[in-house]
Amino acid sequence: MSTGNEAPATWLSQDAYDRLQAELDEHIANRPAIAAEINARREEGDLRENGGYHAAREEQGKAEGRIRYLQELLRTAKVGEAPTADAVSPGMVVTIYFDDDTDDTETFLLGSREIAATTDLTVYSPESALGKAILGGRPGQTCTYTAPSGADIKVTVVSFEPFSG
């Protein structure tokens, strides 16, 4: 349970950090090619009916959004092993059970979508409804959250441990 408005730290392994930095560098290096594609399509004529031009502009917008996201993520990320915590926090592998059914368990990683490429575990964001509900939780603690469907779901934290990637 967070006490401030600060976002939880995003912990990345050195490998994940390097991979994301390489992706960022690739997107930045590709900027001139996208701009050249837009200019080439613009010269084809009427922009209202120029699908290639609109596709190139859309690609540019997506690339620029990804660049901004990666720059911010890498600027604020902490590299290394997340400190051991006594409560559920981002970077933890968490096991929960639903309602009061101890046989209905799920184990997942509480972390950013960027780390999903490094694991076979399901990844839930700390900003998701489930993530917010269990942040700060301890084994045996029961939390309730509202699913996107509008249903209230009760979960109990069974265990958690740092993600070792």
Short mmCIF file of all heavy atoms in Angstrom, two decimals, residues 27-61:
data_model
loop_
_atom_site.label_atom_id
_atom_site.label_comp_id
_atom_site.label_asym_id
_atom_site.label_seq_id
_atom_site.Cartn_x
_atom_site.Cartn_y
_atom_site.Cartn_z
N HIS A 27 15.49 2.81 -32.78
CA HIS A 27 14.38 3.71 -33.15
C HIS A 27 14.91 5.10 -33.51
O HIS A 27 14.45 5.70 -34.48
CB HIS A 27 13.37 3.84 -31.99
CG HIS A 27 12.42 2.70 -31.88
ND1 HIS A 27 11.52 2.37 -32.87
CD2 HIS A 27 12.22 1.79 -30.89
CE1 HIS A 27 10.80 1.33 -32.49
NE2 HIS A 27 11.22 0.95 -31.29
N ILE A 28 15.86 5.61 -32.73
CA ILE A 28 16.41 6.94 -33.01
C ILE A 28 17.17 6.93 -34.34
O ILE A 28 17.02 7.85 -35.15
CB ILE A 28 17.31 7.40 -31.84
CG1 ILE A 28 16.42 7.70 -30.62
CG2 ILE A 28 18.14 8.62 -32.23
CD1 ILE A 28 17.17 8.00 -29.33
N ALA A 29 17.93 5.87 -34.60
CA ALA A 29 18.68 5.78 -35.86
C ALA A 29 17.74 5.67 -37.05
O ALA A 29 18.09 6.07 -38.17
CB ALA A 29 19.62 4.57 -35.82
N ASN A 30 16.53 5.16 -36.83
CA ASN A 30 15.56 4.96 -37.92
C ASN A 30 14.76 6.23 -38.23
O ASN A 30 14.03 6.27 -39.22
CB ASN A 30 14.61 3.81 -37.54
CG ASN A 30 13.92 3.24 -38.75
OD1 ASN A 30 14.44 3.26 -39.86
ND2 ASN A 30 12.72 2.72 -38.53
N ARG A 31 14.89 7.27 -37.41
CA ARG A 31 14.13 8.50 -37.63
C ARG A 31 14.32 9.07 -39.04
O ARG A 31 13.34 9.43 -39.70
CB ARG A 31 14.50 9.56 -36.59
CG ARG A 31 13.80 9.41 -35.28
CD ARG A 31 14.33 10.44 -34.29
NE ARG A 31 13.44 10.61 -33.15
CZ ARG A 31 13.81 11.19 -32.02
NH1 ARG A 31 15.03 11.69 -31.90
NH2 ARG A 31 12.95 11.31 -31.03
N PRO A 32 15.56 9.21 -39.54
CA PRO A 32 15.73 9.78 -40.89
C PRO A 32 15.05 8.94 -41.97
O PRO A 32 14.50 9.49 -42.93
CB PRO A 32 17.25 9.80 -41.08
CG PRO A 32 17.82 9.81 -39.69
CD PRO A 32 16.86 8.99 -38.87
N ALA A 33 15.06 7.63 -41.84
CA ALA A 33 14.42 6.77 -42.84
C ALA A 33 12.91 6.99 -42.85
O ALA A 33 12.29 7.03 -43.93
CB ALA A 33 14.76 5.31 -42.57
N ILE A 34 12.32 7.13 -41.68
CA ILE A 34 10.87 7.38 -41.61
C ILE A 34 10.54 8.74 -42.20
O ILE A 34 9.58 8.88 -42.97
CB ILE A 34 10.36 7.26 -40.15
CG1 ILE A 34 10.49 5.81 -39.67
CG2 ILE A 34 8.91 7.72 -40.05
CD1 ILE A 34 10.16 5.61 -38.19
N ALA A 35 11.36 9.75 -41.88
CA ALA A 35 11.13 11.09 -42.43
C ALA A 35 11.26 11.07 -43.96
O ALA A 35 10.46 11.70 -44.66
CB ALA A 35 12.11 12.08 -41.82
N ALA A 36 12.24 10.34 -44.46
CA ALA A 36 12.42 10.24 -45.91
C ALA A 36 11.22 9.54 -46.56
O ALA A 36 10.76 9.94 -47.64
CB ALA A 36 13.71 9.48 -46.23
N GLU A 37 10.68 8.52 -45.91
CA GLU A 37 9.50 7.81 -46.41
C GLU A 37 8.30 8.76 -46.47
O GLU A 37 7.56 8.77 -47.46
CB GLU A 37 9.19 6.60 -45.52
CG GLU A 37 7.96 5.84 -45.92
CD GLU A 37 8.12 5.01 -47.18
OE1 GLU A 37 9.26 4.81 -47.65
OE2 GLU A 37 7.08 4.57 -47.72
N ILE A 38 8.13 9.57 -45.43
CA ILE A 38 7.02 10.53 -45.42
C ILE A 38 7.17 11.53 -46.56
O ILE A 38 6.21 11.82 -47.28
CB ILE A 38 6.95 11.25 -44.05
CG1 ILE A 38 6.47 10.26 -42.97
CG2 ILE A 38 6.02 12.47 -44.11
CD1 ILE A 38 6.58 10.78 -41.56
N ASN A 39 8.38 12.04 -46.75
CA ASN A 39 8.61 13.00 -47.83
C ASN A 39 8.37 12.37 -49.20
O ASN A 39 7.77 12.99 -50.08
CB ASN A 39 10.03 13.56 -47.75
CG ASN A 39 10.18 14.55 -46.62
OD1 ASN A 39 9.19 15.16 -46.18
ND2 ASN A 39 11.39 14.69 -46.12
N ALA A 40 8.82 11.13 -49.37
CA ALA A 40 8.61 10.44 -50.65
C ALA A 40 7.12 10.25 -50.92
O ALA A 40 6.63 10.45 -52.04
CB ALA A 40 9.33 9.10 -50.65
N ARG A 41 6.36 9.87 -49.91
CA ARG A 41 4.92 9.66 -50.07
C ARG A 41 4.19 10.98 -50.29
O ARG A 41 3.21 11.04 -51.02
CB ARG A 41 4.35 8.95 -48.84
CG ARG A 41 4.91 7.57 -48.60
CD ARG A 41 4.61 6.65 -49.73
NE ARG A 41 5.16 5.33 -49.47
CZ ARG A 41 5.11 4.33 -50.31
NH1 ARG A 41 4.54 4.50 -51.48
NH2 ARG A 41 5.63 3.18 -50.01
N ARG A 42 4.69 12.04 -49.64
CA ARG A 42 4.05 13.36 -49.80
C ARG A 42 4.13 13.82 -51.25
O ARG A 42 3.22 14.44 -51.76
CB ARG A 42 4.74 14.37 -48.87
CG ARG A 42 4.11 15.76 -48.91
CD ARG A 42 4.80 16.76 -47.99
NE ARG A 42 4.63 16.39 -46.60
CZ ARG A 42 5.62 16.25 -45.73
NH1 ARG A 42 6.87 16.44 -46.11
NH2 ARG A 42 5.38 15.92 -44.49
N GLU A 43 5.23 13.49 -51.91
CA GLU A 43 5.45 13.91 -53.30
C GLU A 43 4.58 13.15 -54.29
O GLU A 43 4.52 13.52 -55.47
CB GLU A 43 6.92 13.76 -53.66
CG GLU A 43 7.80 14.74 -52.90
CD GLU A 43 9.28 14.49 -53.09
OE1 GLU A 43 9.65 13.60 -53.88
OE2 GLU A 43 10.07 15.20 -52.45
N GLU A 44 3.89 12.11 -53.82
CA GLU A 44 3.02 11.33 -54.71
C GLU A 44 1.74 12.06 -55.07
O GLU A 44 1.00 11.62 -55.93
CB GLU A 44 2.68 9.98 -54.07
CG GLU A 44 3.87 9.05 -53.96
CD GLU A 44 3.56 7.76 -53.24
OE1 GLU A 44 2.42 7.60 -52.73
OE2 GLU A 44 4.46 6.91 -53.16
N GLY A 45 1.44 13.14 -54.35
CA GLY A 45 0.25 13.91 -54.70
C GLY A 45 -0.74 14.06 -53.57
O GLY A 45 -0.36 14.22 -52.42
N ASP A 46 -2.01 14.02 -53.92
CA ASP A 46 -3.12 14.28 -53.00
C ASP A 46 -2.99 13.49 -51.71
O ASP A 46 -3.07 12.27 -51.70
CB ASP A 46 -4.44 13.92 -53.71
CG ASP A 46 -5.66 14.32 -52.90
OD1 ASP A 46 -5.50 14.81 -51.77
OD2 ASP A 46 -6.78 14.13 -53.41
N LEU A 47 -2.80 14.21 -50.60
CA LEU A 47 -2.57 13.55 -49.31
C LEU A 47 -3.84 12.93 -48.74
O LEU A 47 -3.76 12.01 -47.92
CB LEU A 47 -2.00 14.55 -48.30
CG LEU A 47 -0.62 15.12 -48.64
CD1 LEU A 47 -0.15 16.07 -47.56
CD2 LEU A 47 0.39 14.02 -48.88
N ARG A 48 -5.01 13.41 -49.17
CA ARG A 48 -6.26 12.87 -48.61
C ARG A 48 -6.46 11.41 -49.00
O ARG A 48 -7.08 10.65 -48.27
CB ARG A 48 -7.46 13.69 -49.09
CG ARG A 48 -7.51 15.08 -48.45
CD ARG A 48 -8.60 15.88 -49.06
NE ARG A 48 -8.25 16.05 -50.49
CZ ARG A 48 -8.96 16.71 -51.38
NH1 ARG A 48 -10.10 17.25 -51.01
NH2 ARG A 48 -8.58 16.83 -52.61
N GLU A 49 -5.96 11.03 -50.15
CA GLU A 49 -6.16 9.65 -50.63
C GLU A 49 -4.84 8.91 -50.78
O GLU A 49 -4.74 7.98 -51.55
CB GLU A 49 -6.91 9.68 -51.96
CG GLU A 49 -8.30 10.25 -51.82
CD GLU A 49 -9.06 10.23 -53.13
OE1 GLU A 49 -8.67 9.48 -54.03
OE2 GLU A 49 -10.06 10.96 -53.24
N ASN A 50 -3.85 9.32 -50.01
CA ASN A 50 -2.52 8.74 -50.12
C ASN A 50 -2.29 7.82 -48.92
O ASN A 50 -1.82 8.24 -47.87
CB ASN A 50 -1.47 9.86 -50.17
CG ASN A 50 -0.09 9.34 -50.45
OD1 ASN A 50 0.25 8.22 -50.08
ND2 ASN A 50 0.73 10.17 -51.09
N GLY A 51 -2.65 6.55 -49.08
CA GLY A 51 -2.53 5.58 -47.98
C GLY A 51 -1.11 5.41 -47.51
O GLY A 51 -0.86 5.25 -46.31
N GLY A 52 -0.15 5.43 -48.42
CA GLY A 52 1.26 5.27 -48.05
C GLY A 52 1.73 6.40 -47.16
O GLY A 52 2.47 6.19 -46.20
N TYR A 53 1.31 7.62 -47.46
CA TYR A 53 1.67 8.78 -46.64
C TYR A 53 1.11 8.64 -45.23
O TYR A 53 1.81 8.82 -44.25
CB TYR A 53 1.16 10.07 -47.30
CG TYR A 53 1.28 11.29 -46.43
CD1 TYR A 53 2.50 11.94 -46.30
CD2 TYR A 53 0.18 11.78 -45.73
CE1 TYR A 53 2.63 13.06 -45.49
CE2 TYR A 53 0.30 12.90 -44.92
CZ TYR A 53 1.52 13.54 -44.80
OH TYR A 53 1.63 14.64 -43.99
N HIS A 54 -0.19 8.30 -45.15
CA HIS A 54 -0.83 8.17 -43.83
C HIS A 54 -0.22 7.02 -43.02
O HIS A 54 -0.05 7.14 -41.81
CB HIS A 54 -2.34 8.02 -43.98
CG HIS A 54 -2.97 9.27 -44.53
ND1 HIS A 54 -3.03 10.44 -43.81
CD2 HIS A 54 -3.52 9.54 -45.74
CE1 HIS A 54 -3.61 11.37 -44.55
NE2 HIS A 54 -3.92 10.85 -45.73
N ALA A 55 0.14 5.93 -43.70
CA ALA A 55 0.77 4.81 -43.01
C ALA A 55 2.14 5.22 -42.47
O ALA A 55 2.51 4.86 -41.34
CB ALA A 55 0.90 3.61 -43.95
N ALA A 56 2.89 5.97 -43.27
CA ALA A 56 4.21 6.42 -42.83
C ALA A 56 4.10 7.38 -41.66
O ALA A 56 4.89 7.31 -40.70
CB ALA A 56 4.96 7.09 -44.00
N ARG A 57 3.11 8.26 -41.68
CA ARG A 57 2.90 9.18 -40.55
C ARG A 57 2.50 8.42 -39.30
O ARG A 57 2.93 8.74 -38.19
CB ARG A 57 1.81 10.21 -40.89
CG ARG A 57 2.19 11.28 -41.90
CD ARG A 57 3.33 12.17 -41.40
NE ARG A 57 3.08 12.75 -40.12
CZ ARG A 57 2.66 13.98 -39.90
NH1 ARG A 57 2.49 14.79 -40.89
NH2 ARG A 57 2.45 14.41 -38.67
N GLU A 58 1.65 7.40 -39.45
CA GLU A 58 1.24 6.58 -38.31
C GLU A 58 2.45 5.84 -37.73
O GLU A 58 2.62 5.78 -36.51
CB GLU A 58 0.16 5.59 -38.73
CG GLU A 58 -0.40 4.81 -37.56
CD GLU A 58 -1.57 3.93 -37.95
OE1 GLU A 58 -2.40 4.34 -38.77
OE2 GLU A 58 -1.62 2.81 -37.42
N GLU A 59 3.28 5.30 -38.60
CA GLU A 59 4.50 4.61 -38.15
C GLU A 59 5.40 5.58 -37.38
O GLU A 59 5.96 5.24 -36.34
CB GLU A 59 5.24 4.02 -39.35
CG GLU A 59 6.52 3.30 -38.96
CD GLU A 59 7.30 2.78 -40.16
OE1 GLU A 59 6.75 2.70 -41.27
OE2 GLU A 59 8.48 2.45 -39.96
N GLN A 60 5.51 6.80 -37.89
CA GLN A 60 6.32 7.80 -37.23
C GLN A 60 5.77 8.12 -35.83
O GLN A 60 6.52 8.21 -34.87
CB GLN A 60 6.38 9.09 -38.06
CG GLN A 60 7.21 10.19 -37.39
CD GLN A 60 7.12 11.50 -38.14
OE1 GLN A 60 6.04 11.87 -38.61
NE2 GLN A 60 8.24 12.18 -38.27
N GLY A 61 4.47 8.25 -35.73
CA GLY A 61 3.85 8.53 -34.43
C GLY A 61 4.08 7.42 -33.43
O GLY A 61 4.40 7.67 -32.26
#
